[in-house]
Structures are given as structure tokens and as C-alpha cells.
Amino acid sequence: MVCSLLSNGAYAQTLLADGAEITLKDSRLKVEFVKEDIVRVRWTKEDAFADVDNNICIEHPKSKIKLKHADKDSMLTITSDSMSVSVDKSTGAITYLDRKGKIIMAENSAMPHEGERIYVENVTFDESTRRTVKTADGDKEVMDVLKRDTVGSSWKWALNLQFKPEEALYGLGGYMEDYMNLRGKKVYLCQHNLKEMVPVLNSTAGYGILINAGSEMTFTDTQGRSSIEIGAAKGLDYYFMKGWNMDATVRNYRWLTGQVQMMPLYLFGYTQSKERYVSSADLIGTLKRFRDSHIPIDMIVQDWNYWEPGSWGHMKMNSRDYPDKRALTDAIHGMNAKLMISIWPSMTNSPQEKDFAARGMLMPGTNVYDAFSPAARDLYWDYANGEFFSNGFDAWWCDSSEPIDADWSNRGKAYTWDSHAERFELCSKRLGDALGHERSQLYSLYHSMGIYEHQRKATDQKRVVNLTRSSYAGQQRYGTIVWNGDTHASWDAFAQMIPAGLNFVSTGCPYWTVDAGAFFVKKGWAWFYDGDYEKGCEDLGYRELYTRMLQYATFLPVMRSHGTDTPREPWRFGDADSPFYKAIIDCIKLRYSLLPYTYSLAADVCFNGGTMMRPLPFDFAEDTKVADIKDEFMMGRSLLVAPVTTPMLYGPGSAPISGAKKQRDVYLPGNITWYDFFSQASYKGGATVTVDTPIDRIPVFVPAGSIIPMCKGNIEYAAQYADAPWEIRVYPGKDGTFSVYQDAGDGYAYEKGERSTFDLTWNDKKHTLTISARKGMYKPDKDIEMTITTPDGKEGKVRYDGKKTVVKL
């Protein structure tokens, strides 16, 4: 360790093996390399740096990193094998540079950091005012605040940055606020029914930022100010993650916060849900109709209100409608499907609530269990396991995991979907009062951890699946899928879902889905109950919207249907000859034909830090035209998807639309050849093309050099794909490769090596496809009958038995 004190007294520095600590005039700065290309920065106005225990980052063994320190005038530069950090010791401003000395990102040189002391209150609630209120999120217990006592202090921080004019920014979570590129935007970051907060930025300039704090935040890049403000934290604490592209940034984020588990095969089929199936007979009968109609399905969902009336959130099914839970799951499993159950962190007027309350395991002023307490997480699992998991239920739907919404009520006509600033203030205060200001946004992270860790201890035969409405940095390691909340059925809302999901996955949290058809279909009593279709699925306008949304969901990491006001099963949208029904069935069947492709993408997520649903800049950052495209995305690197987000047939009330163009424009990026996935027509990239969009067609394009493994034949549940013949679609024009992944489909044996891969490699000059020898311990029971095809009609056949083979086309 080398220490140096500068004579002018403005600052002092201590050089460390992993960085440096600098004492400025009125603050302290610490810069630490935690990896050659990841740097942690801490800044405080206190005498010492505070310990952080927020469950965001995972622990890594400390490794020795080769660093060089260079001190010149007021600049200290620390260099690793990957990058350099330059610190202006007169201001504390940090500049990040690549190995060639080119600036990657810089803090504001004049005022990089700001800190303002704030006071922390202990909120005491008046138990005598405890009452149950009915909300769209169920029965909630509320109490009035009795008093507020100042019990200490915290800090409000600002990290001020200097973005490059040409760079585009993505991430921060999923928000129904109609933006893609974050440049020029102000974003209010908090947990809410319609917000999924993840404090991570991902830049096309080759870096990411993770804010290591648990309070509400705001991102501002307007009117000459670029900053991230943190509402309450002991210190300013963030990680700079270098990445030569956006995928590399995601990999560094996951290195810091945890890798994603391999999701089970069935999750990549179709999930049917609605509010709600009302009995075991209803669930079994609905699933049986799917099977009798030969409509593919892998999971059906039991939503809320399965408990006794008046005992909201009680994890106990009423015996009248659900007389035998084991018989229910046996029946579902007997039809080769899985069962997901809705569970809630809140509980009202039930023995469960009394139990948690008696043990002091409820959050202050709420009926929400204390997920921050290990003992409370244990007790919560005891209820969930005793009623559900031990009886064969397969997957969790952890609803309302914010777990408090301050505005999920009728707030008057002036309050709308666009009241973002007011929503931020209301939710930040309410969450801060109940959870504590410094950890107000972390509830879902701990709630998910409790479910994951307990199920992993219970068995290694079922992979954890947790569909949840809230998220945070690090949550991806707990088997979670996040959806965008209780949206309303309109074309404008549908269009906003696409960039919301793309920004969410840009953070490094990969599993995103939506309620196909939207949750609220009609207009109701509150600002959020704002659907356009009073007759539900009887309305031809809604049938069109639903069909287009399901087409979009076909290419999401998880495909599912859900919502209130109207049924959601395919047969509700017309008879077998109707165009909407046919289009819906085509969507679901296409999803199943893509299983070899999507399951392999899931393996890329798990083992290589990959991202399934991809904003165009992940793959085409050099094409600046894609920076703010909101209505196109990649599914893997081989499918460009362009959902139809405007009506072409009917408006609300089944009103025919006359003169609507049944086409849409699609921008095809890059200087490459693209193929229409359905027609096989080819197009040159770097241009916009106009394509026909009949109701049974969503535009999908494939870049040259792609190889897409698909199932052939009728597959009605995911496990059947192991016995199905495959079609290997090869798109010539460039060399290409694709790695196919195989395992048992569920359970954690893959973590012990029970998995395998084989590579498909296309040589464009020789027109040969090489199928590599299978690598790994897992051996499927059957060989794969493969048909290799190209858009121009060439075809070859092979029986793949795990040995290397070459097919000439």
C-alpha cells in the first residue's frame, strides 16, 4: 500500500491494491476495481464509507487484479488490462477510458456528485384506525399515521454525468410510458403496479451503470442536465461496467448480481390464464377442452379468490370448490400440463394474518409480511409449501410484489396514466413509510429470494418458476419472470408494452411477458380501468386487438394470456372457421414449432449471459437508425419481429374500419440480406420495406447466416418435442452457426452436467451444414429426424444420432 499526502491540503490519497481512496475538501471518494472491467465507486460526505447490505450483488472471492497507478498534477489514473479510470482529485470527477485512451463515459467535470442530508422518520400507525378497504388489488388493511418521529438521518444523492451526443441509453426497468431510447427523457423510478424498477443503464457507447441502492430514484437527461438522483442512501454507490457491446454489459451485470437459472422446458410453451377459474372442475374442464380440441398448452393458472370469502390472501383453498388439491394436480399432470398458483404478500382477516401479526412479522401499518426478515420468509414458505408445493403445484405467481400501491384507487379525473410525477411522489412516500426509505424498492427482491431458496432446499426435481409483478437488480437469479402489470385494452397501451419490455431486458433481467389481451378490457371506476371494449371478446374490435397481442406474445420469452372482464380461451374468439380463431391457433402452434430454438436461447441466457428478447441496438448498434425504434425487436439473433400495433379491421363496438391499409412498414437494419420468415422473399437491409399484414400474419424477418431449428408435426405440449422430427431452416448469404441445447426439461441435474449441446454450422461458400458431435453428459432417448431447408427450396435429410455429420445442399 502506498500513501501520499499532497501539500496544498486540498486532498489526500491512499493508493490501494485494487484502486484508491481520496479525501477531498468535504467528502471522501473510493474507486475499486472488482474485476478488470468493473469498477465500484463510492462517495460520501460522512467520515467513513457505510456498509451496504441490500442483496443486490453477490459475493465473489477477492482476486488480485494487476493495476498501474499514475499520478500527474491533480489527476490520478488507475489502469487495468481492460480499461483506465482517471480521477480529477480537485473535484472528484471520474472519466472512464478504454485501452487506447478513448473516453467511454465521464462524470460531469464541474460537479460530478451532490449530497444533501435528509432526516429519517419513524412512522407510528394508529391501530384504532385499522380498516379494510377494497381495491383493484384486493382487500387491503390500512391505518392512519399517528405520529412521525425523526430518528436519524440519511442522504439524498445525485450522480451527474456527461453522455456523448451519439450514444443511446436503455434500461432502468419496464414502464408503460412510451419511450425507447432514454436520451432526452426524465424517468421516475419506483415500484408500482405498472412500473418494474431496475436501476441499471445500458449504453451503446459500451458500458453500463448499476446504482447500488434501494430507494426511489429519478433519471434526468433534459435541459442540459444528465443525472441519476437517489432518494435515500448512506452513500453514493455505483458500479461502472465496461462492455464492448450491450451483451457484454449484460454479462458483467450478471457477474455482479447473479446468473439466471435454466427455466423449465414447459415454460416455453403456452400458458392459459384469466380472472379467474373458479374451481378444480373449472380448471380440469378447461384443460380437457384444450386437449380435446388439440390446442397446444403447457400450463394453466389459478388466480386469486380461491380462499374463503373475506380472508384475502390466505394461502388455503376453500374445500367447496377445491375439495382435493392433490387430486387436482394429479389430474392436471395426467393431461401433461402444469399448474401455477397465485399467492400474495398481503393477507387480510385470516388465521394466516393473525399468525404473522402475533409473531411481529408484518410490515408497519400494513397486512404485508416482512420479506426482509429470514424468519418471516420461513413462515411464508411454510404456508405456501403446506398448501400448494407439497400437493404438487408447479409454479408460483407472486402477485402484488411491490407490495403497496398508493394510487391504485379512484383519484379523480385529473389523475391519469400520464400522472407520472404525482404517482412517483405518492408511491415513494407510501413505500418509504411502510418499508423504510432506504430499502423502499427492494421488497420484490427479498420476496423472490424467499420463494427460490426454500424451493431449492425442498427439491431438485422442479425448477423455480415465479411470475411476479415487480423487479429489482439481482432478482433475475431467483427464477423470476416479470410482467408489465394490470394494463388496459387499447392500441396505444399495446404499443407502449413493446418498448417497456425492451428497456426491461436491457438491464440484464431477461424474462419478460405481458397479459395478452391486456388486463382491463372495459372502462371502470378508476383511472387505470380504461379499456375500450365493453362487450369483451364478443367485440370484433377486441378480437383483433387480442389476436395482435397474442402474435406479439408468441415471440416473448414467456407466452401467456390473462385478464379480467372477459374470457380468454381461444374458442371464445369465434368458431373454428373464423379468422380470429384460426390466427390464434396459428400463433400457439408456431410457438411450439420454435421450441428447439427458444429453449436453446434460454440456455444461452443461463450459460452465456445472453438475452432472448433483444432491442435492435443489441445487434445493430452501428446502424444509428435503430436507436429509437419502439415497435421492432429481435428474438434471439435470428428473428426480427415487428408487431402490428394499429387496428386494420374493426374499432370498438365491432365498428368496421374502412380504408385501413392492411400493411405495415418495417425497417430492416444493417448491410445484410433479410428473408421473410413466412414467404421466404428476400430484402436488402438498411431500408424500410412495406409488407402485407393480414390478421393471421405478424411480420417476421430472418437475417442471412441464420440457422433456426424447429419442430415439425403436431406438438400439443412441450415434452413432445423430444420425439418430433425437426426442420433446420438455413438462410444463406453468410456463414452462420447455432448451438442447440438439450436436457431433461426440468429439475437441476443440468447444474451437475446432465446437459448437452451440438452445433449447427453453415458454410455459405460450400453450401454445407455441419452438425457437430453431441457434447455433454445428457443423451436423448431418440435420434432426431432432421430435414434441412433453404428459402430457395433446397432440401436435405439426416438422422442425427449424436455423431458429426455434414449435409450438402
Side-chain angles (χ1 to χ4, degrees):
M1 178 184 291
V2 179
C3 297
S4 174
L5 178 65
L6 300 182
S7 60
N8 62 10
Y11 46 80
Q13 70 182 28
T14 302
L15 304 185
L16 307 172
D18 57 1
E21 185 173 327
I22 301 168
T23 301
L24 304 165
K25 289 182 180 179
D26 60 351
S27 61
R28 301 170 70 88
L29 176 68
K30 191 170 187 178
V31 177
E32 303 166 86
F33 276 79
V34 297
K35 197 166 168 272
E36 285 80 0
D37 50 2
I38 301 177
V39 177
R40 183 183 185 186
V41 175
R42 287 186 280 176
W43 183 70
T44 184
K45 300 187 82 170
E46 301 278 15
D47 292 334
F49 297 103
D51 292 331
V52 175
D53 182 20
N54 56 24
N55 197 37
I56 293 172
C57 295
I58 62 173
E59 290 189 15
H60 290 280
K62 195 134 184 169
S63 60
K64 188 174 181 180
I65 303 169
K66 293 181 180 179
L67 297 179
K68 296 179 181 178
H69 296 76
D71 210 344
K72 184 177 181 181
D73 300 326
S74 66
M75 301 299 294
L76 172 65
T77 300
I78 310 169
T79 302
S80 73
D81 289 341
S82 177
M83 59 178 290
S84 294
V85 174
S86 183
V87 184
D88 184 337
K89 292 179 288 187
S90 63
T91 63
I94 300 174
T95 301
Y96 301 90
L97 307 100
D98 65 16
R99 285 183 295 181
K100 296 180 180 180
K102 181 181 177 182
I103 294 175
I104 306 170
M105 191 274 283
E107 296 178 346
N108 185 289
S109 58
M111 184 177 289
H113 319 119
E114 298 176 75
E116 174 189 350
R117 188 180 293 276
I118 59 175
Y119 293 97
V120 175
E121 295 178 328
N122 180 54
V123 180
T124 303
F125 293 89
D126 186 350
E127 286 284 343
S128 67
T129 65
R130 183 186 290 269
R131 60 200 181 274
T132 299
V133 297
K134 293 189 178 297
T135 75
D137 258 348
D139 295 350
K140 304 285 187 180
E141 283 193 355
V142 297
M143 288 175 269
D144 296 337
V145 173
L146 181 63
K147 61 178 179 176
R148 295 177 179 271
D149 298 314
T150 300
V151 294
S153 66
S154 185
W155 290 86
K156 181 178 179 179
W157 305 101
L159 171 63
N160 299 319
L161 303 168
Q162 296 176 173
F163 299 125
K164 297 177 181 178
E166 70 276 12
E167 76 175 287
L169 295 170
Y170 307 94
L172 299 182
Y175 300 88
M176 293 289 294
E177 296 176 19
D178 196 29
Y179 57 73
M180 186 64 213
N181 183 2
L182 304 180
R183 296 303 307 276
K185 309 295 192 302
K186 181 161 188 175
V187 185
Y188 298 95
L189 296 152
C190 68
Q191 306 292 9
H192 182 264
N193 187 303
L194 298 167
K195 294 173 177 280
E196 298 78 34
M197 177 183 176
V198 184
V200 176
L201 281 175
N202 197 338
S203 172
T204 56
Y207 70 89
I209 294 173
L210 163 63
I211 303 297
N212 190 28
S215 76
E216 77 283 357
M217 305 176 197
T218 56
F219 167 85
T220 303
D221 187 39
T222 60
Q223 299 177 333
R225 178 177 172 84
S226 300
S227 69
I228 302 170
E229 295 183 13
I230 300 102
K234 290 292 191 295
L236 175 59
D237 189 341
Y238 77 93
Y239 290 88
F240 175 88
M241 304 170 291
K242 180 193 171 192
W244 63 275
N245 61 15
M246 296 178 73
D247 278 303
T249 297
V250 165
R251 284 192 287 273
N252 267 339
Y253 161 79
R254 297 215 190 119
W255 184 89
L256 275 172
T257 64
Q259 301 300 329
V260 180
Q261 71 163 64
M262 188 67 198
M263 286 295 192
L265 177 65
Y266 72 79
L267 193 67
F268 302 98
Y270 173 67
T271 295
Q272 179 66 57
S273 180
K274 70 176 181 183
E275 190 199 40
R276 68 184 176 91
Y277 297 108
V278 298
S279 66
S280 294
D282 195 11
L283 287 162
I284 294 168
T286 301
L287 182 58
K288 186 175 185 302
R289 181 159 180 180
F290 269 91
R291 292 290 180 241
D292 291 345
S293 303
H294 301 288
I295 303 171
I297 185 174
D298 261 271
M299 185 154 60
I300 194 164
V301 183
Q302 175 61 60
D303 200 356
W304 61 6
N305 279 315
Y306 51 76
W307 43 73
E308 290 288 346
S311 59
W312 184 269
H314 190 193
M315 284 188 276
K316 188 166 184 62
M317 306 185 93
N318 77 71
S319 58
R320 297 178 305 280
D321 301 319
Y322 308 89
D324 188 330
K325 295 176 287 292
R326 175 58 71 173
L328 168 62
T329 57
D330 285 349
I332 298 294
H333 296 159
M335 288 186 278
N336 299 296
K338 307 294 183 182
L339 180 57
M340 174 181 277
I341 185 70
S342 170
I343 59 175
W344 294 66
S346 55
M347 51 199 85
T348 305
N349 298 327
S350 68
Q352 183 179 330
E353 181 194 19
K354 291 182 176 65
D355 188 10
F356 276 85
R359 302 176 192 232
M361 293 181 178
L362 296 178
M363 302 302 303
T366 76
N367 60 342
V368 175
Y369 92 99
D370 183 1
F372 299 105
S373 160
R377 294 196 297 270
D378 289 346
L379 183 60
Y380 191 84
W381 173 256
D382 288 345
Y383 278 95
N385 181 47
E387 184 71 0
F388 301 121
F389 196 67
S390 65
N391 280 306
F393 286 71
D394 302 287
W396 308 103
W397 180 4
C398 289
D399 210 337
S400 193
S401 53
E402 295 81 13
I404 298 163
D405 268 313
D407 70 339
W408 212 238
S409 58
N410 193 346
R411 304 195 61 84
K413 292 183 179 180
Y415 194 91
T416 70
W417 283 77
D418 296 323
S419 299
H420 303 308
E422 188 176 354
R423 181 166 302 125
F424 174 77
E425 294 296 330
L426 287 166
C427 289
S428 298
K429 182 169 181 55
R430 184 70 182 92
L431 285 165
D433 285 351
L435 309 182
H437 207 38
E438 291 181 359
R439 63 178 188 179
S440 59
Q441 311 303 309
L442 296 175
Y443 189 91
S444 184
L445 177 61
Y446 283 81
H447 185 32
S448 300
M449 177 177 67
I451 294 293
Y452 179 82
E453 291 183 345
H454 283 95
Q455 183 177 322
R456 288 301 309 261
K457 289 177 183 177
T459 182
D460 63 358
Q461 300 303 302
K462 283 186 181 181
R463 296 176 194 170
V464 179
V465 171
N466 176 359
L467 174 65
T468 189
R469 200 169 68 190
S470 185
S471 191
Y472 210 74
Q475 189 171 301
Q476 77 282 344
R477 67 182 182 262
Y478 295 135
T480 55
I481 309 117
V482 174
W483 94 100
N484 60 335
D486 295 338
T487 55
H488 66 282
S490 75
W491 289 93
D492 287 344
F494 173 31
Q496 291 182 12
M497 295 178 191
I498 302 169
L502 294 173
N503 271 301
F504 180 80
V505 300
S506 295
T507 65
C509 298
Y511 282 103
W512 168 265
T513 185
V514 301
D515 292 345
F519 188 76
F520 297 108
V521 175
K522 304 176 183 179
K523 293 198 183 299
W525 53 275
W527 62 271
F528 47 81
Y529 213 132
D530 198 29
D532 288 342
Y533 303 94
E534 294 302 311
K535 293 185 178 180
C537 60
E538 297 301 315
D539 190 322
L540 297 179
Y542 180 67
R543 292 185 181 188
E544 181 181 1
L545 174 64
Y546 180 86
T547 301
R548 293 305 192 185
M549 287 190 68
L550 198 68
Q551 288 172 344
Y552 160 62
T554 301
F555 296 93
L556 296 183
V558 175
M559 180 189 189
R560 50 183 280 278
S561 172
H562 180 67
T564 191
D565 296 331
T566 193
R568 304 296 171 111
E569 298 85 8
W571 51 86
R572 309 286 189 172
F573 294 85
D575 60 36
D577 294 323
S578 72
F580 298 113
Y581 178 87
K582 286 181 175 180
I584 288 167
I585 301 305
D586 285 349
C587 289
I588 299 173
K589 288 185 175 181
L590 175 58
R591 176 75 178 191
Y592 279 81
S593 71
L594 288 169
L595 276 171
Y597 178 72
T598 52
Y599 199 53
S600 298
L601 295 183
D604 183 57
V605 169
C606 175
F607 299 106
N608 304 319
T611 299
M612 298 177 72
M613 177 188 182
R614 304 167 64 80
L616 296 184
F618 267 65
D619 298 294
F620 305 100
E622 72 286 350
D623 188 338
T624 57
K625 292 180 181 178
V626 307
D628 206 31
I629 291 181
K630 304 175 185 179
D631 59 353
E632 300 177 25
F633 61 93
M634 299 297 294
M635 181 56 166
R637 291 176 173 82
S638 297
L639 295 174
L640 185 151
V641 184
V644 177
T645 58
T646 56
M648 298 177 179
L649 301 174
Y650 298 97
S654 301
I657 298 174
S658 60
K661 184 174 67 171
K662 297 176 179 61
Q663 295 176 316
R664 73 149 287 179
D665 293 338
V666 180
Y667 180 72
L668 301 176
N671 185 27
I672 54 175
T673 298
W674 290 85
Y675 296 88
D676 186 305
F677 179 79
F678 297 102
S679 73
Q680 308 301 319
S682 63
Y683 301 86
K684 184 170 178 55
T688 298
V689 299
T690 301
V691 293
D692 293 334
T693 53
I695 192 61
D696 62 349
R697 182 64 51 87
I698 176 175
V700 180
F701 291 86
V702 185
S706 294
I707 304 168
I708 303 178
M710 300 175 64
C711 287
K712 296 174 67 177
N714 295 318
I715 298 173
E716 295 182 13
Y717 53 93
Q720 286 183 322
Y721 107 107
D723 297 325
W726 287 18
E727 177 186 4
I728 310 298
R729 293 192 180 186
V730 176
Y731 294 84
K734 288 179 61 177
D735 292 346
T737 187
F738 186 84
S739 181
V740 176
Y741 175 85
Q742 295 176 298
D743 67 13
D746 205 351
Y748 289 96
Y750 76 86
E751 293 181 339
K752 301 174 183 177
E754 288 289 333
R755 61 183 190 267
S756 65
T757 61
F758 61 89
D759 297 329
L760 305 169
T761 303
W762 173 249
N763 185 309
D764 199 59
K765 184 176 181 180
K766 296 181 178 179
H767 264 241
T768 57
L769 180 74
T770 300
I771 309 171
S772 76
R774 183 181 288 116
K775 296 164 283 187
M777 293 169 55
Y778 179 77
K779 188 177 187 305
D781 293 333
K782 294 182 64 175
D783 298 342
I784 305 172
E785 299 290 344
M786 294 182 178
T787 301
I788 297 92
T789 64
T790 62
D792 59 359
K794 290 186 173 63
E795 184 175 294
K797 293 183 181 292
V798 66
R799 183 184 185 90
Y800 181 65
D801 60 0
K803 298 176 183 177
K804 179 180 176 179
T805 186
V806 179
V807 181
K808 173 77 174 178
L809 294 181

